[in-house]
Amino acid sequence: VLQSADPESLPIGPSGLDLHGNPVTTPMTETDIRLIIDAYANAASDAKRLGFDGIEIHGGHGYLIDQFFWKHTNRRSDRYGGDDYGGRTRFAAEVIASVRKAVGADFPIMLRIS
């Protein structure tokens, strides 16, 4: 679960757990997930509009995308979780698809994973 630099802001995570599996906040709703996916796409589109040559999405080291990959931080039983990698990688796949749609086919997208 990532903690914002703003102490008033609650952290988010797929299941509301820290990296040790301890509860920190409430699990993300599917609406939360959709809003975050849209935010990645909007940020990528802004980067392209501002003249960047490409983007790198950080999906490792305990950041949000990484939290969806691991059973100890993703205990969801919906389509974004489960015991198989298909469900736990769905969030990353949807982020990438949404970003690709926002920036077009000729804009480099890198995904950093650990």
Side-chain angles (χ1 to χ4, degrees), residues 4-114:
S4 169
D6 177 0
E8 302 286 320
S9 181
L10 292 174
I12 61 169
S15 298
L17 306 171
D18 67 17
L19 297 178
H20 304 288
N22 301 311
V24 176
T25 189
T26 59
M28 292 174 71
T29 65
E30 287 204 27
T31 299
D32 295 333
I33 291 170
R34 182 78 251 150
L35 290 170
I36 295 294
I37 290 169
D38 291 346
Y40 275 101
N42 290 334
S45 178
D46 287 346
K48 181 178 180 181
R49 180 179 52 79
L50 291 169
F52 285 82
D53 295 327
I55 60 155
E56 180 177 81
I57 300 168
H58 199 328
H61 308 104
Y63 283 85
L64 184 60
I65 291 173
D66 193 43
Q67 291 176 42
F68 274 87
F69 292 153
W70 303 103
K71 284 184 181 182
H72 63 278
T73 51
N74 182 353
R75 297 189 188 157
R76 300 179 71 89
S77 58
D78 63 6
R79 61 194 185 117
Y80 292 99
D83 290 330
D84 67 354
Y85 286 113
R88 293 196 321 264
T89 59
R90 181 179 312 278
F91 177 71
E94 289 183 8
V95 165
I96 295 164
S98 184
V99 166
R100 175 55 66 209
K101 183 177 178 184
V103 298
D106 296 331
F107 192 74
I109 300 171
M110 295 161 278
L111 175 65
R112 180 178 181 161
I113 60 173
S114 55

